[in-house]
Amino acid sequence: MKSVGTLAVVGATGQVGAVMRHILLERQLAFDRLRFFASPRSAGTFLEFDGHQLEVEDVETADLAGIDYALFSIGATASKIYAPRFAEAGAIVIDNSSAYRMHPDVPLVVPEVNPGDAAHRALGIIANPNCTTMIAMSPLAIIDRLFGLNRVVAATYQAASGAGRAGVAELSAQLERPNLGALTFDGGAVDFAPPVKFPAVLAGNVIPLAGELHDGDTSEEEKFVNESRKILGLPDLRVHATCVRVPVFTGHSIAIVAECQTPPEVGRLVAELDRHKGCQVVDLPTPMASTGIDPVLVGRIRLDRSSTNGVAFFVSGDNLRKGAALNAIQILEMLLQ
Amino acid sequence: MKSVGTLAVVGATGQVGAVMRHILLERQLAFDRLRFFASPRSAGTFLEFDGHQLEVEDVETADLAGIDYALFSIGATASKIYAPRFAEAGAIVIDNSSAYRMHPDVPLVVPEVNPGDAAHRALGIIANPNCTTMIAMSPLAIIDRLFGLNRVVAATYQAASGAGRAGVAELSAQLERPNLGALTFDGGAVDFAPPVKFPAVLAGNVIPLAGELHDGDTSEEEKFVNESRKILGLPDLRVHATCVRVPVFTGHSIAIVAECQTPPEVGRLVAELDRHKGCQVVDLPTPMASTGIDPVLVGRIRLDRSSTNGVAFFVSGDNLRKGAALNAIQILEMLLQ
């Protein structure tokens, strides 16, 4: 693998930025120079990296010359402004936000699934999928290759960290309230502070609403439908999703029923999933077990007897790693090979 | 409504037994005499009811003569032994366990859905559905009546109290561990006691395994499939379920996609759900909002664009009330009318 040259991490102070810094060290990526960027609010602080203190530069005012690659995790609004500036200054941008994912000239890439798409980056920008979509892509790509995907029905179990540090802080504060067990008989038994980041109290609860509603579906559900089609290269794939937030810190999970063109064979599927480096087949996939590791955990693999060629499974994956930081760095590694 | 005569609550010291006692008072059911029973281990204690202290009788040794109705919530193993004894002694037994639900001579009844079935009780036993199945029955019965049900795909979000007091205690103890937020970056960051009631730590986690596995599906999933068919009177209904435990104290929720024979109309469905006394249509159904109230909360009602005649919704209901104690008492009220 060749050296990155100059690598920028944009949104370095954020939650995904922190995981990116961690994984860059973990994977010992070689670069000549590393630069950290953040919004004006967070710029000027220092972040430790491999024993060195690096000043965080202001993404608004910094000189962008000489950057070869930029890993962006700074939110869609900021990405729309700054990703083109980095790209125009010569960097290849790998953007973790939703800003460019469905842009026809921006590839949306999971290296284990559609590596070839990365070449068609007319804007100099490659998009990283939504953290929930990501978790499902490797198993669904394998099912499509083996049996041909017709339809996907998904119900998600999404962690608070998918909503950033503020989501984690809100859940943490709620879980510190005393006597949560009083909720067993009375849903109003505990006096929580009014929720801000989520539309209801998340501790001791589940919330079937993530993002904004458009014509019945949420933006999170639309992302799952549209991004799955683009990554899998199946523009007409029939997909239904219900996206639900659960009181988990990290690790998104999805219960999936996949309807296929030919009869699925569980044994063959398990063998192919096991061979795939992005997946690990386990008896009991849970978000807690998936937190801090690279592969997604796939289990409860069984035939769906309610459809002709259906197969069901449950998948859990670390939304901050494979769902965000790791996949972006894997795209970068792929470009360097 | 006529008086119950002599009413027995069997399993009166348990979690559902406690809710039964609460609801009996709440609904001011008239009876001549109330008797509490429990297993030998819990017998001999006293329970307060409407200002009186009642001694809990030993279900093994008590004289069962003169009991008119018996509300059982004592577990399947005990129900298999004692429900026939109460029935032989002349009581009509309403049993909350799984022991008799699929018995061909035992009706499985949700009063708002299949009240007529209660008449065919050859054994003197009427069964109360599983708490997860129950939550889905009213909305699915309405969809079947309006549009004809072809297939149901369900993913559940089940509360710890569905596993009894021990489930609640295990979740409570786990939530008291300090610094749960450390799970954000490391799934092993918190030193939990080994789980006993659930197959993994439930706090900060979700567990896609409830009950025992048979040929890929769990006993909890089989109950959902088989009991739905029996209650809805659709023995060939195609049903798929994935049952998942979530760190919620009370309130089971289900994300459901229903495929129909005729095109579903969301407006008509909302109107019919709203008119039904077992349901309340809300924007955001959550288990916390459903805890302590009688109706199930139905929301996120929308067309499923991935199937020809699909409609999707999310439902939350109190698994201890409508899912258990309330439904049993509603059956009793129905028999008295």
Side-chain angles (χ1 to χ4, degrees), chain B residues 21-266:
Chain B
R21 291 183 274 123
H22 184 78
I23 296 177
L24 285 174
L25 269 178
E26 206 176 73
R27 297 172 81 96
Q28 304 207 287
L29 217 80
F31 46 76
D32 300 326
R33 189 180 169 201
L34 181 64
R35 294 174 68 184
F36 292 156
F37 295 85
S39 62
R41 193 171 42 87
S42 301
T45 55
F46 284 80
L47 290 173
E48 195 265 335
F49 188 87
D50 205 12
H52 303 278
Q53 292 291 324
L54 279 181
E55 185 171 0
V56 179
E57 301 177 59
D58 183 340
V59 71
E60 178 60 40
T61 57
D63 178 4
L64 306 182
I67 297 171
D68 296 287
Y69 295 92
L71 299 172
F72 261 68
S73 190
I74 196 172
T77 309
S79 277
K80 277 181 192 154
I81 301 169
Y82 302 113
R85 290 197 199 167
F86 277 67
E88 280 155 29
I92 294 175
V93 172
I94 301 167
D95 180 34
N96 191 48
S97 83
S98 63
Y100 293 95
R101 288 182 196 143
M102 297 310 298
H103 192 296
D105 294 327
V106 173
L108 181 64
V109 176
V110 180
E112 301 94 331
V113 174
N114 60 339
D117 288 3
H120 312 288
R121 45 177 193 270
L123 304 184
I125 300 172
I126 298 173
N128 213 32
N130 173 269
C131 49
T132 306
T133 312
M134 181 84 77
I135 304 302
M137 288 302 98
S138 281
L140 286 179
I142 292 169
I143 290 172
D144 183 49
R145 179 162 53 78
L146 293 178
F147 315 116
L149 262 183
N150 265 342
R151 181 183 177 215
V152 173
V153 178
T156 75
Y157 302 72
Q158 295 179 221
S161 62
R165 281 217 175 93
V168 168
E170 188 159 305
L171 175 59
S172 285
Q174 290 167 353
L175 289 176
E176 281 165 16
R177 301 289 306 149
N179 194 22
L180 293 175
L183 295 169
T184 305
F185 298 108
D186 176 4
V190 178
D191 190 24
F192 293 104
V196 175
K197 190 69 194 174
F198 301 115
V201 169
L202 184 57
N205 208 11
V206 307
I207 307 175
L209 186 71
E212 309 80 47
L213 277 171
H214 304 130
D215 196 18
D217 292 309
T218 64
S219 50
E220 191 74 11
E221 290 157 0
E222 290 172 337
K223 286 176 192 172
F224 188 87
V225 173
N226 295 329
E227 295 182 20
S228 293
R229 290 172 174 161
K230 181 165 177 175
I231 296 163
L232 296 169
L234 300 169
D236 300 319
L237 183 66
R238 294 184 289 132
V239 184
H240 174 84
T242 299
C243 289
V244 181
R245 195 75 65 179
V246 294
V248 161
F249 287 96
T250 292
H252 287 348
S253 305
I254 322 178
I256 293 183
V257 181
E259 297 173 28
C260 306
Q261 285 155 29
T262 60
E265 296 160 55
V266 169

Side-chain angles (χ1 to χ4, degrees), chain A:
Chain A
M1 202 184 298
K2 59 182 189 186
S3 161
V4 180
T6 294
L7 175 65
V9 176
V10 184
T13 58
Q15 189 176 238
V16 171
V19 179
M20 281 177 172
R21 290 183 275 123
H22 184 78
I23 295 177
L24 285 174
L25 269 179
E26 206 175 72
R27 297 172 82 93
Q28 303 206 288
L29 216 80
F31 46 78
D32 300 326
R33 189 181 170 201
L34 180 64
R35 295 173 68 184
F36 291 157
F37 295 85
S39 62
R41 193 170 42 85
S42 301
T45 54
F46 284 79
L47 290 173
E48 195 267 337
F49 188 86
D50 205 12
H52 303 279
Q53 293 291 324
L54 278 182
E55 185 170 359
V56 179
E57 302 178 58
D58 183 341
V59 71
E60 177 61 39
T61 57
D63 177 5
L64 306 182
I67 298 171
D68 296 288
Y69 295 92
L71 300 172
F72 262 67
S73 189
I74 196 172
T77 309
S79 278
K80 277 182 192 153
I81 300 168
Y82 301 113
R85 290 196 198 167
F86 277 67
E88 279 155 29
I92 293 175
V93 172
I94 301 167
D95 180 34
N96 190 48
S97 83
S98 64
Y100 292 96
R101 287 181 196 144
M102 297 310 298
H103 191 297
D105 294 328
V106 173
L108 181 65
V109 176
V110 180
E112 300 95 333
V113 174
N114 61 337
D117 288 3
H120 311 288
R121 47 177 192 268
L123 304 182
I125 300 172
I126 298 172
N128 212 31
N130 173 270
C131 48
T132 306
T133 312
M134 182 84 76
I135 304 302
M137 288 302 98
S138 282
L140 285 179
I142 292 168
I143 290 173
D144 182 49
R145 178 162 54 78
L146 293 178
F147 314 116
L149 261 184
N150 264 341
R151 182 182 176 216
V152 173
V153 178
T156 75
Y157 303 72
Q158 296 179 221
S161 62
R165 281 217 174 92
V168 168
E170 189 160 304
L171 174 60
S172 285
Q174 290 167 354
L175 289 176
E176 283 165 14
R177 300 291 303 150
N179 195 22
L180 293 175
L183 296 169
T184 305
F185 299 108
D186 175 5
V190 178
D191 191 23
F192 293 104
V196 175
K197 191 67 195 175
F198 300 115
V201 170
L202 184 57
N205 209 10
V206 307
I207 308 175
L209 187 71
E212 310 81 46
L213 277 170
H214 302 132
D215 197 18
D217 291 309
T218 63
S219 50
E220 192 74 10
E221 290 156 0
E222 290 172 337
K223 285 175 193 171
F224 188 87
V225 173
N226 296 328
E227 295 180 22
S228 295
R229 289 172 175 161
K230 183 167 176 174
I231 296 162
L232 296 169
L234 300 169
D236 300 320
L237 182 66
R238 295 183 288 131
V239 185
H240 174 84
T242 298
C243 289
V244 181
R245 194 76 65 179
V246 293
V248 161
F249 287 97
T250 292
H252 287 349
S253 304
I254 322 179
I256 294 184
V257 181
E259 297 172 30
C260 305
Q261 284 153 30
T262 60
E265 296 160 58
V266 168
R268 233 179 111 202
L269 176 55
V270 168
E272 286 296 311
L273 286 165
D274 244 348
R275 187 172 315 171
H276 190 277
K277 76 175 166 49
C279 298
Q280 190 179 325
V281 176
V282 295
D283 286 339
L284 188 57
T286 66
M288 194 178 282
S290 78
T291 299
I293 64 170
D294 288 353
V296 299
L297 302 178
V298 189
R300 296 298 322 279
I301 303 161
R302 61 209 191 272
L303 293 182
D304 159 37
R305 296 185 184 82
S306 78
S307 62
T308 312
N309 291 326
V311 63
F313 62 98
F314 194 85
V315 58
S316 295
D318 185 324
N319 51 296
L320 301 177
R321 288 178 75 94
K322 184 60 189 173
L326 175 65
N327 194 73
I329 290 169
Q330 286 172 325
I331 293 173
L332 173 61
E333 289 174 340
M334 185 182 75
L335 296 176
L336 295 173
Q337 255 154 3

